Amino acid sequence: METSSAIIGFLQSVHPYDSLPQDELVRVAHSFRRSEVQAGAEIYHFGAPLDGIYLIKTGSVEVQDASGGLVSLLGPRNSFGERGLMRDGLAATTALALEACVLLHLPAAEFHALMQSAPPFQRFFTRGRAGDRRNTDLAMQTVGDLMTGDPQSCGPEDTVQSAAARMRDGGISCLGVVEAGAFIGLVTTRDLTGKVLAAGLPASTPVRAVMSGTPISLPPEALGADVLNLMLERRIGHLPVVEAGRLIGMITQTDITRFQATSSAQLVRDLAGAQTVAQMAAVTARIPQLLVQLVGGNTAHQVTTRLITDIADTVTRRLLALAEAKLGPAPVPYLWLACGSQGRQEQTGVSDQDNCLFIDDAATEDDMAYFAALAIYVCDGLHACGYVYCPGEMMATNPKWCARVSTWRGYFRRWIATPDPMAQMLASVMFDLRPIGGAVSLFSDLQAETLAEAAENSIFVAHMIANSLTHTPPLGLLRGFATFRSGEHKNQIDLKHNGVVPLTDLGRVYALIGQSPAANTRARLLAAGDAGVISSSGGADLLDAYDLIAQTRLDHQARLIRAGKTADNFMAPSDLSDFERAHLRDAFVVVRTMQSAVGQARGART
């Protein structure tokens, strides 16, 4: 039988217990109960009460899901059972001893007390679990939680006098304009004073004559950071919340006065007011520190990457404005789009630029020369701001990616009709397109049309699936990792190309099959589960795997920045604890399993 001193010595080698002060560590050590379990014995069963978590001292344990599927294989210094404790004390898994084990059992009361009093415990046992993260900052809230529900509205043919009376009686500063149930515009007190009173219009003037038609709006799943960034960048005070074309809420400056602007919003403010590329570059140089602050604040990876991408979007729009100020107004409508990680709203501390231009078909050759100059100005500006030139020249400065809409339509049709390897690669990039600045109408119809045509072409889908299997997780033999064997990154794994990219590729395939217009990987995985493209259990596992891998990548980049180094995607597995390595490998196993499943589906299609 081990003594308390032996348990204390063991705990000192296990994270996060090694972070506890010595007196607290001694107290916690006395709370553990030691047990011996024979090989093949069931430690606990799915759905049974689970009073605490387990720490493996010797032996190995297999953790299974409700259907008996493998969740993880754990060895010494690994913990298990914590996910059950997050679900009202009932086991969310089944645990079996693969071999004789010595287990240390920490009662639930002590575990929860540590989660409350010791931040390292909270970070350790919730990392990668986006649903367990809590943050009261405005930037991290969803618009659906922030908005004023049951928004007041009027019809386009109502008089401005009746609209003013409604705003006065309701103590509000704006009304949504709704026609046949659809949201079509916004009228504010500023519209009434500036467009009606100041212009001497009669009180019988219809609202349609003074409203802002098709104003900027946000969906309920957008973030509070989106509200701040839009209000600061566009200098607006009201944001309608719209879902499926219907007005469901409103956010005004009054709603956010109790919150302080976040760091990302401050960067957006500074960028929106910048007059030169040099001023903008000075702002974007603060992005690495923002990444460190967000990761250090336990911000979920999808929020961190969204905030960082918002900054890139603002830089792009500001450069477009400066370009037009220098070159003159655009001769015909155009649309600047981002692809790659910016298009998916997944930028990290390491980002090059991927972009293109859609130009109205009315453009003449002289007009095209204007857009070539605009592309050079913007791409050079992005490069100066730290978004380096794309090594594959996937940029609007490449004449191929600065083209009329009809040319783009031809590209898409050819890629779908003849899905050779190059077409697959290009299609993969282009399915991640997201409008940044200009006439969105140039893309919206084309996007829907292309998505429908591609999804109906089984040969194209099969080729896209094959393309999605070219990047594989870095899984080695004997429950290890397949690291680089030589070179600059010896003994490291690539958390981008072998980590998040396989998931990005799977998400793109699922979106194609389900005809989802979403560009963001996490949104695509959620949509695939909702649409039945993948099973609910498979979707949940894949989402958890994505969250863990993406968060590990951000944590790695933040560690490098804090150490005064440049962020990259190459991490040595030895930098992680045994627990972290085990769970990261589990996540890679999930990805490989889902790749196998989609590969089998490809075989069925062909």
Side-chain angles (χ1 to χ4, degrees):
M1 184 72 65
E2 282 136 330
T3 63
S4 293
S5 60
I7 294 178
I8 292 170
F10 177 65
L11 293 179
Q12 287 175 328
S13 70
V14 180
H15 190 69
Y17 302 96
D18 60 354
S19 66
L20 293 174
Q22 185 63 23
D23 57 343
E24 180 70 354
L25 179 66
V26 171
R27 187 192 65 77
V28 171
H30 284 287
S31 300
F32 276 94
R33 296 196 294 266
R34 180 186 183 278
S35 62
E36 296 183 4
V37 181
Q38 297 302 311
E42 183 178 270
I43 301 166
Y44 60 76
H45 191 76
F46 176 87
L50 183 60
D51 180 31
I53 68 167
Y54 291 86
L55 176 62
I56 304 173
K57 191 171 188 302
T58 62
S60 61
V61 172
E62 177 178 315
V63 180
Q64 302 175 350
D65 61 19
S67 60
L70 179 64
V71 173
S72 57
L73 296 171
L74 305 175
R77 294 192 297 279
N78 287 166
S79 296
F80 61 97
E82 71 279 3
R83 289 182 180 259
L85 289 178
M86 305 297 179
R87 303 182 184 182
D88 300 325
L90 297 180
T93 55
T94 295
L96 303 171
L98 289 181
E99 56 186 343
C101 297
V102 173
L103 303 178
L104 300 178
H105 176 245
L106 184 67
E110 182 63 41
F111 175 78
H112 287 305
L114 286 169
M115 290 288 283
Q116 292 295 320
S117 63
F121 272 77
Q122 186 179 47
R123 287 196 295 270
F124 187 78
F125 286 104
T126 60
R127 64 173 296 171
R129 295 167 58 83
D132 293 329
R133 297 176 187 273
R134 298 288 185 267
N135 198 311
T136 57
D137 289 345
L138 169 65
M140 311 310 168
Q141 304 298 307
T142 64
V143 165
D145 291 330
L146 293 170
M147 71 183 185
T148 300
D150 192 23
Q152 297 294 304
S153 63
C154 65
E157 305 309 323
D158 289 352
T159 66
V160 292
Q161 182 178 25
S162 66
R166 192 169 301 176
M167 283 189 263
R168 178 202 62 196
D169 296 340
I172 56 179
S173 57
C174 66
L175 290 173
V177 183
V178 176
E179 185 175 45
F183 173 68
I184 63 169
L186 187 72
V187 60
T188 68
T189 52
R190 186 175 181 178
D191 293 326
L192 297 179
T193 56
K195 298 178 181 179
V196 179
L197 289 177
L201 295 180
S204 60
T205 301
V207 167
R208 187 188 297 275
V210 298
M211 72 178 189
S212 298
T214 60
I216 298 170
S217 64
L218 287 172
E221 63 269 20
L223 300 174
D226 297 327
V227 176
L228 286 170
N229 293 344
L230 281 173
M231 286 186 171
L232 291 170
E233 182 186 358
R234 305 296 179 90
R235 295 178 173 83
I236 54 178
H238 305 81
L239 272 172
V241 183
V242 178
E243 187 174 48
R246 295 183 177 275
L247 180 68
I248 63 171
M250 189 74 66
I251 296 181
T252 69
Q253 287 181 338
T254 303
D255 297 320
I256 63 173
T257 52
R258 67 184 182 276
F259 294 101
Q260 289 186 332
T262 64
S263 296
S264 63
Q266 185 59 54
L267 265 62
V268 168
R269 180 195 294 271
D270 294 345
L271 288 167
Q275 298 301 312
T276 66
V277 172
Q279 290 176 358
M280 297 171 69
V283 177
T284 55
R286 289 147 54 190
I287 291 176
Q289 187 55 42
L290 172 64
L291 174 64
V292 170
Q293 292 172 356
L294 291 170
V295 172
N298 250 6
T299 307
H301 74 89
Q302 68 269 25
V303 177
T304 297
T305 53
R306 176 84 67 85
L307 297 179
I308 292 175
T309 305
D310 285 346
I311 295 169
D313 292 353
T314 303
V315 170
T316 305
R317 285 191 287 265
R318 187 65 187 135
L319 287 169
L320 288 169
L322 292 176
E324 290 194 30
K326 177 182 179 180
L327 302 173
V332 296
Y334 73 92
L335 178 63
W336 186 281
L337 302 100
C339 44
S341 60
Q342 185 183 1
R344 297 189 304 273
Q345 295 181 296
E346 294 167 5
Q347 287 194 309
T348 67
V350 185
S351 296
D352 58 7
Q353 57 175 290
D354 298 282
N355 46 61
C356 60
L357 265 173
F358 280 33
I359 302 166
D360 190 278
D361 284 336
T364 64
E365 287 307 308
D366 288 342
D367 295 338
M368 296 302 290
Y370 170 93
F371 289 111
L374 180 139
I376 290 173
Y377 185 95
V378 176
C379 290
D380 285 351
L382 287 169
H383 182 79
C385 289
Y387 305 99
V388 299
Y389 299 125
C390 173
E393 295 190 344
M394 187 66 68
M395 299 179 294
T397 48
N398 184 335
K400 187 171 184 177
W401 312 132
C402 178
R404 298 176 181 86
V405 173
S406 58
T407 301
W408 280 104
R409 179 173 280 107
Y411 288 162
F412 287 131
R413 286 179 173 170
R414 284 200 301 277
W415 294 338
I416 293 170
T418 312
D420 58 29
M422 180 60 70
Q424 293 171 38
M425 183 197 73
L426 295 173
S428 294
V429 173
M430 295 309 165
F431 273 118
D432 294 348
L433 287 174
R434 183 171 61 88
I436 303 297
V440 178
S441 59
L442 295 178
F443 176 66
S444 54
D445 291 343
L446 179 59
Q447 181 191 35
E449 170 190 317
T450 302
L451 192 59
E453 288 182 8
E456 292 171 2
N457 188 317
S458 60
I459 296 177
F460 176 79
V461 173
H463 278 277
M464 286 291 290
I465 291 173
N467 190 57
S468 74
L469 305 178
T470 57
H471 295 97
T472 57
L475 290 169
L477 299 175
L478 301 176
R479 301 201 298 245
F481 294 94
T483 60
F484 293 102
R485 295 185 177 182
S486 60
E488 179 184 359
H489 302 297
K490 183 179 179 181
N491 297 327
Q492 295 177 326
I493 58 175
D494 186 343
L495 288 172
K496 177 181 178 180
H497 289 101
N498 300 112
V500 296
V501 168
L503 283 146
T504 299
D505 291 342
L506 282 174
R508 192 180 296 112
V509 167
Y510 295 145
L512 176 60
I513 295 172
Q515 297 191 44
S516 169
N520 177 264
T521 298
R522 201 171 195 279
R524 283 170 166 171
L525 296 178
L526 287 168
D530 292 342
V533 175
I534 50 178
S535 68
S536 58
S537 60
D541 287 346
L542 199 57
L543 195 64
D544 279 349
Y546 178 59
D547 286 340
L548 180 58
I549 295 167
Q551 193 66 47
T552 299
R553 181 190 183 198
L554 287 180
D555 291 348
H556 165 71
Q557 292 185 4
R559 282 196 299 270
L560 290 176
I561 295 169
R562 283 194 293 266
K565 301 177 182 179
T566 301
D568 64 25
N569 295 300
F570 300 97
M571 184 195 72
S574 59
D575 290 344
L576 303 176
S577 69
D578 290 350
F579 179 91
E580 291 170 318
R581 285 197 298 273
H583 281 266
L584 181 60
R585 192 180 188 283
D586 289 342
F588 288 144
V589 169
V590 169
V591 177
R592 186 166 67 179
T593 299
M594 297 304 287
Q595 284 184 322
S596 297
V598 81
Q600 292 173 3
R602 173 204 174 202
R605 286 176 178 272
T606 55

